[in-house]
């Protein structure tokens, strides 16, 4: 029997999603190990796909391409006659595991209380773990936030075990259209199992990109009997409902299948409490009646609703403003949809503040006094308040049109904000003067014979100077008007532009915060239409009808020649689709191509779909580094590319996507070959 073994381990410089390069490095390590006599080779974690995949780990493409690489390894002569141990993701029974692939194959516990608590409760220890509370008249079980959203929520087993009241202490943040899902989850759970569900939720901005949107509720047997506001400036909101326990018992008695399952359930540990929620003599006590939950449209979630006084980004801005102790906002206003939307959100905030003060909210009034630095001031007119809190600035250059200047001015007048017009050409020329004195040459726009690199540099200088000037004016504007404090700079890049990277790093997209950074261009256009109808802002009509433009290239006979969609090589509508498929559907290039083949079969050929998908992923990966400096944005879209929290992916890609694009191209060739040589079944 032998006593010695030779084994090998390695450190590989793998790259997330670089399947070609990763395969090459794995094979080389195996060859070296074998040449040194090793009979076992160990590689790094997730070496096939790369460890830094982050959210790409959840994509079906990552699984597919990992297995394709594994197939190449199995076929290679280099892997013969030794045990190879490689790392890759594997899905088993619909669960993804971080695996090693080798080839040549709950209860109740005791918790001891701190002494300071023992002295108060006279208890040494308390039960710890999963349990339910049994009072003299009912049984209560608890869920925590996301447990409501899981396929096997605790309320299922609890309900079968006789729990009648379920509580959920949640911190569920706002996303457009998410409240609908949350309410439906609660009501459908109680409709299926019977019971009383009490959901509490956080509200407001607690210091980051999220806004917690309230929506506290009480449901009985699937019917809502109490509904809280989705948005409000009230720091405290209490919902009260009276419910009948017998309604739950009668409801459950009719579900015969539930009764059968209940006889076999594993019982929860019950903590008995000598206390009743009901009184002995409660006959005649009226109970809360069910009603239909009133949902908001996405436009209302973004803005102000006169019926419920609810807002989304506007409430987030108010919380940020009062907690940062600044004097208001500064917004570069270009006359386009994005910056106009940001301005309208601030105006919506002013509407909400005036409503709250009119309704007697002293806390809001106190906050206004601190921000405005005027204890005698009481806001009654949103336009007048907007003039105190919002400063807008149109930063013109030789490439700016008179149309956008007038649109910005007209909107500022309608909103009542303090508006400034400046021209940045002097600063731009000074920058290029410095460059020429050092380098001896000046770049030219592409329309004047310059290269694309020159063209981009000329645009970027304008964009970045606007950021510098925005912070200068934000810092000193109030000072020049004899007022204390500074202003928060607002950015206005939408979620689609961030996804593509269609903005200049450290331009006006770089700000203190961005109220529209999680909102799509499509939703913003709907929001602008909503503002036209709700706030009667006539100037928005010309803004919404104008083509989106950066206005960074020379005008043609005084008219705009540059448009966003032409620059990007895709429409905003297409960008939204790419964003949802990439993030929500977890689609890599190949899966996105497959899905769009069906979605766009009446509009595009397979080769056109392939070209669009490859162009998107090429631009997305080339510009992904910009996400590292993305301004903190209000989170409203599930496909936000913000890499701080919501989209954990690399910011340095192999933008060739060689393996992935090759898979797409091969599929296109097969489809085109099939079209040229149809089978009898195709003809029939």
């Amino acid at each position: 029997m032998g006593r010695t073994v030779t084994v090998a381990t390695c450190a590989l410089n793998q790259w997330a999603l670089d399947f070609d390069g990763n395969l090459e490095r794995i094979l080389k390590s195996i060859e070296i190990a074998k040449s040194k006599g090793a009979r076992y080779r160990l590689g790094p974690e997730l070496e096939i796909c790369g460890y830094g995949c982050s959210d790409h780990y959840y994509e079906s493409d990552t699984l597919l391409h990992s297995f394709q690489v594994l197939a190449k390894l199995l076929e290679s002569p280099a892997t013969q006659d030794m045990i190879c141990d490689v790392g890759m993701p594997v899905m088993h029974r619909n669960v993804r595991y971080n695996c090693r692939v080798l080839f040549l194959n709950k209860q109740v516990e005791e918790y001891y209380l701190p002494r300071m608590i023992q002295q108060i409760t006279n208890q040494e220890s308390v039960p710890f773990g999963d349990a339910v509370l049994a009072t003299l008249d009912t049984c209560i079980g608890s869920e925590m936030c996301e447990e409501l959203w899981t396929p096997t929520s605790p309320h299922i087993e609890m309900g079968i075990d006789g729990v009648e009241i379920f509580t959920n202490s949640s911190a569920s943040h706002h996303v457009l259209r998410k409240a609908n899902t949350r309410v439906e989850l609660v009501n459908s759970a109680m409709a299926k199992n019977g019971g009383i569900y009490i959901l509490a939720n956080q509200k407001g901005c607690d210091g980051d990109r999220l806004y917690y949107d309230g929506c506290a509720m009480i449901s009985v047997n699937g019917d809502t009997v109490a509904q809280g506001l989705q948005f409000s400036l009230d720091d405290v909101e209490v919902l009260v409902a009276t419910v009948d326990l017998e309604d739950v018992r009668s409801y459950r008695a009719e579900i015969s299948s539930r009764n059968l399952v209940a006889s076999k359930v594993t019982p929860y540990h019950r903590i008995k409490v000598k206390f009743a929620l009901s009184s002995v003599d409660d006959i005649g006590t009226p109970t809360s009646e069910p009603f239909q939950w009133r949902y908001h449209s996405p436009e209302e979630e973004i803005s102000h609703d006169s019926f419920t006084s609810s807002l989304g980004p506007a409430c987030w801005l108010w919380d940020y403003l009062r907690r940062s102790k600044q004097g208001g906002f500064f917004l570069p206003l270009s006359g386009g949809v994005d910056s106009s939307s940001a301005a309208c959100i601030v105006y919506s905030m002013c509407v909400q503040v005036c409503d709250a003060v009119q309704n007697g909210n002293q806390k809001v009034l106190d906050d206004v006094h601190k921000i405005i630095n005027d204890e005698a001031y009481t806001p009654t007119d949103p336009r007048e308040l907007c003039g105190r809190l919002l400063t807008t600035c149109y930063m013109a250059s030789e490439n700016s049109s008179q149309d956008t200047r007038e649109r910005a001015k007209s909107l500022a007048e309608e909103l009542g904000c303090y508006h400034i017009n400046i021209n940045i050409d002097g600063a731009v020329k000074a920058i290029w003067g410095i460059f020429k004195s050092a380098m001896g040459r000046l770049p030219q726009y592409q329309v004047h014979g310059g290269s694309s690199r020159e063209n981009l540099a000329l645009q970027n200088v304008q964009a970045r100077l606007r950021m510098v000037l925005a912070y200068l004016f934000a810092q000193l504007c109030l000072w020049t008007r004899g007022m204390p404090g500074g202003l928060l700079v607002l950015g206005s890049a939408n979620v689609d532009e961030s996804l593509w990277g269609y903005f200049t790093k450290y331009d006006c997209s770089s700000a203190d915060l961005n109220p529209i950074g999680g909102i799509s261009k499509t939703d913003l256009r709907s929001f602008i239409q909503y503002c036209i109808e709700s706030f009667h802002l006539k100037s928005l009509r010309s803004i919404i009808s104008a083509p989106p433009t950066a206005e960074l290239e020379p005008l043609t006979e005084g008219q705009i020649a540059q448009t966003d969609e032409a620059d990007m090589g895709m429409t905003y509508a297409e960008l939204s689709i790419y964003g949802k498929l990439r993030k929500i559907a977890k689609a890599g290039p190949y899966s996105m191509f497959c899905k769009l083949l069906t979605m766009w079969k009446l509009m595009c050929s397979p080769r056109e779909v392939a070209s669009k998908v490859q162009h998107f992923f090429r631009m997305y990966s080339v510009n992904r580094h910009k996400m590292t400096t993305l301004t903190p944005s209000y989170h409203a879209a599930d496909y936000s590319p913000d890499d701080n929290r919501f989209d954990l992916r690399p910011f340095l890609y192999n933008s060739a996507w060689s393996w992935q694009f090759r898979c797409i191209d091969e599929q296109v060739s097969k489809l085109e070959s099939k079209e040229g040589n149809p089978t009898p079944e195709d003809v029939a």
Side-chain angles (χ1 to χ4, degrees):
M1 181 178 293
R3 298 180 56 175
T4 65
V5 297
T6 302
V7 298
T9 186
C10 58
L12 305 182
N13 189 0
Q14 302 297 74
W15 193 3
L17 306 182
D18 180 19
F19 293 98
D20 280 313
N22 291 347
L23 172 60
E24 179 182 347
R25 288 180 282 270
I26 292 170
L27 282 172
K28 185 173 182 179
S29 71
I30 292 172
E31 290 168 355
I32 294 173
K34 181 178 278 189
S35 69
K36 295 180 179 291
R39 304 279 289 175
Y40 170 91
R41 177 267 184 198
L42 176 69
E45 183 178 3
L46 294 175
E47 59 186 308
I48 287 182
C49 61
Y51 184 76
C53 287
S54 298
D55 280 6
H56 286 295
Y57 180 85
Y58 301 106
E59 294 178 356
S60 59
D61 277 24
T62 303
L63 293 170
L64 168 66
H65 300 320
S66 293
F67 273 103
Q68 289 173 332
V69 171
L70 179 60
K72 294 289 186 183
L73 290 171
L74 292 169
E75 294 170 347
S76 172
T79 64
Q80 303 305 307
D81 300 321
M82 74 180 302
I83 298 174
C84 295
D85 187 340
V86 299
M88 60 177 281
V90 176
M91 180 182 285
H92 178 63
R93 296 180 179 176
N94 281 354
V95 178
R96 285 173 171 82
Y97 294 92
N98 178 345
C99 283
R100 304 303 305 175
V101 178
L102 289 79
F103 51 93
L104 182 66
N105 335 289
K106 205 180 172 247
Q107 73 189 59
V108 175
E109 304 170 353
E110 287 293 306
Y111 177 76
Y112 288 89
L113 294 168
R115 281 176 293 181
M116 69 176 74
I117 304 299
Q118 291 181 24
Q119 293 169 2
I120 299 172
T121 66
N122 294 319
Q123 294 172 292
E124 186 179 76
S125 65
V126 294
F128 180 86
D130 264 1
V132 296
L133 193 66
T135 66
L136 296 175
D137 51 358
T138 189
C139 191
I140 306 169
S142 298
E143 289 187 325
M144 185 67 71
C145 197
E146 193 173 350
E147 288 181 318
L148 169 65
W149 303 72
T150 62
T152 55
S153 298
H155 68 252
I156 299 172
E157 291 290 326
M158 288 181 187
I160 294 172
D161 191 34
V163 173
E164 298 174 330
I165 300 176
F166 309 90
T167 67
N168 186 314
S169 53
S170 187
S172 182
H173 62 270
H174 174 242
V175 174
L176 291 178
R177 307 170 183 86
K178 178 182 177 183
N180 309 42
T181 304
R182 187 193 300 134
V183 173
E184 288 165 7
L185 280 172
V186 170
N187 285 338
S188 64
M190 294 301 97
K192 181 168 63 175
N193 210 354
I196 301 160
Y197 203 100
I198 308 170
L199 183 142
N201 191 27
Q202 185 168 317
K203 60 157 53 172
C205 166
D206 69 348
D208 65 4
R209 295 157 173 79
L210 301 178
Y211 183 84
Y212 298 91
D213 60 342
C215 283
M217 67 176 293
I218 302 172
S219 173
V220 179
N221 297 333
D223 293 320
T224 303
V225 297
Q227 171 189 354
L229 296 176
Q230 187 174 10
F231 310 103
S232 115
L233 299 189
D234 296 328
D235 282 344
V236 178
E237 180 189 19
V238 179
L239 294 183
V240 177
T242 302
V243 297
D244 191 337
L245 292 171
E246 289 300 325
D247 287 344
V248 175
R249 295 159 187 163
S250 299
Y251 187 90
R252 288 178 171 177
E254 293 294 318
I255 310 174
S256 57
S257 58
R258 177 198 172 277
N259 299 335
L260 180 62
V261 176
S263 66
K264 303 175 183 179
V265 73
T266 301
Y268 270 77
H269 178 81
R270 274 169 162 72
I271 300 173
K272 298 179 181 180
V273 181
K274 291 183 178 180
F275 179 81
L277 299 185
S278 59
S279 63
V280 176
D281 186 17
D282 59 3
I283 294 182
T285 303
T287 59
S288 301
E289 293 295 323
F291 61 87
Q292 188 67 36
W293 187 285
R294 197 273 183 186
Y295 295 110
H296 304 309
S297 69
E299 296 79 21
E300 292 168 343
E301 290 189 79
I302 297 171
S303 179
H304 168 86
D305 183 325
S306 59
F307 176 74
T308 62
S309 294
S310 63
L311 304 100
C315 286
W316 181 72
L317 283 183
W318 175 248
D319 277 351
Y320 200 107
L321 176 61
R322 65 193 182 101
R323 290 170 178 167
S324 67
K325 297 180 172 59
Q326 297 302 301
F329 301 108
F330 182 91
L331 172 68
L333 186 62
S334 68
V337 167
D338 293 343
S339 61
S340 297
S341 295
C344 288
I345 288 171
V346 177
Y347 180 78
S348 298
M349 181 199 78
C350 293
V351 172
Q352 179 70 347
V353 169
C354 290
D355 286 349
V357 170
Q358 186 176 355
N359 292 330
N361 191 321
Q362 186 61 43
K363 180 65 173 67
V364 172
L365 182 58
D366 291 342
D367 287 332
V368 171
H369 290 161
K370 293 175 184 176
I371 295 168
I372 302 297
N373 196 41
D374 185 352
E375 295 292 328
Y377 174 70
T378 299
T380 56
D381 178 11
R383 289 188 73 257
E384 193 273 338
L385 179 61
C386 195
R388 292 173 179 257
L389 295 182
L390 177 61
T391 298
T392 55
C393 181
Y394 183 82
M395 301 181 179
S397 76
E398 61 183 8
N399 301 321
S400 303
S401 66
Q402 189 63 31
D403 289 342
T404 54
R405 183 197 302 266
E406 289 302 319
R407 289 199 289 266
K409 178 183 177 182
S410 297
L411 179 60
E413 290 175 350
E414 286 194 300
L415 297 178
C417 50
Y418 186 84
H419 188 63
I420 305 167
N421 275 303
I422 65 172
N423 189 293
I424 68 170
D425 285 337
V428 172
K429 291 176 181 176
I431 293 292
W432 288 119
I434 295 172
F435 181 84
K436 184 178 181 180
S437 66
M439 307 305 294
R441 295 184 65 186
L442 282 177
Q444 299 294 320
Y445 285 106
Q446 209 157 10
V447 295
H448 297 153
S451 66
S452 59
R453 179 170 293 276
E454 294 172 70
N455 198 62
L456 192 58
L458 286 161
Q459 296 181 64
N460 288 344
V461 165
Q462 299 168 66
R464 291 187 174 120
L465 273 173
R466 288 187 170 115
M467 183 272 290
V468 173
L469 290 168
Y471 273 96
L472 172 62
F473 277 78
Q475 196 166 21
L476 295 177
C477 260
L478 296 183
W479 169 74
T480 63
R481 297 163 63 187
M483 301 163 65
L487 303 174
L488 292 165
V489 178
L490 295 182
S492 57
N494 63 64
V495 69
D496 297 324
E497 291 171 342
S498 296
L499 174 65
W500 192 97
Y502 186 66
F503 60 90
T504 300
K505 205 172 187 179
Y506 304 115
D507 68 350
C508 279
S509 64
S510 296
D512 294 313
L513 61 164
N514 181 358
I516 69 165
I519 306 174
S520 71
K521 193 75 163 188
T522 301
D523 282 333
L524 286 175
R525 293 182 66 85
S526 298
F527 168 61
I528 288 292
Q529 187 60 47
Y530 178 85
C531 290
I532 293 172
E533 298 166 2
S534 298
F535 298 146
H536 310 294
L537 300 172
K538 298 178 181 179
S539 60
L540 291 175
R541 292 197 180 101
S542 61
I543 291 172
I544 197 173
S545 63
T549 175
E551 286 196 324
L552 294 171
E553 295 186 16
L555 302 174
T556 301
E557 298 180 354
Q559 299 299 310
I560 296 169
Q562 178 187 29
T563 63
D564 293 354
E565 293 184 337
D567 278 356
M568 294 188 295
M570 62 189 72
T571 67
Y572 281 106
E574 289 173 339
L575 256 177
S576 287
I577 294 172
Y578 299 145
K580 292 170 183 175
L581 290 175
R582 180 198 70 98
K583 175 64 176 174
I584 301 174
K586 305 293 186 292
Y590 184 76
S591 288
M592 186 180 292
F593 165 74
C594 293
K595 289 177 181 292
L596 290 176
L597 274 179
T598 302
M599 292 175 61
W600 290 350
K601 63 181 179 181
L602 299 179
M603 301 183 296
C604 302
S605 68
R607 188 164 295 279
E608 288 171 332
V609 173
S611 177
K612 287 175 177 288
V613 170
Q614 291 173 350
H615 176 59
F616 164 72
F617 271 96
R618 195 174 292 113
M619 300 315 300
Y620 156 75
S621 56
V622 165
N623 289 305
R624 178 66 185 177
H625 66 95
K626 297 180 181 179
M627 296 304 96
T628 62
T629 62
L630 197 66
T631 295
S633 303
Y634 178 87
H635 181 63
D638 281 329
Y639 67 94
S640 168
D642 185 341
D643 81 335
N644 177 270
R645 170 170 181 167
F646 308 108
D647 193 32
L648 304 178
R649 300 166 195 258
F651 56 83
L652 178 61
Y653 280 92
N654 181 346
S655 61
W657 300 86
S658 56
W659 191 288
Q660 297 89 332
F661 286 4
R662 187 161 62 246
C663 288
I664 293 175
D665 292 337
E666 289 171 356
Q667 190 61 44
V668 169
S669 297
K670 290 178 182 178
L671 290 171
E672 290 179 339
S673 175
K674 187 176 180 181
E675 289 176 1
N677 300 283
T679 64
E681 291 81 4
D682 294 328
V683 175

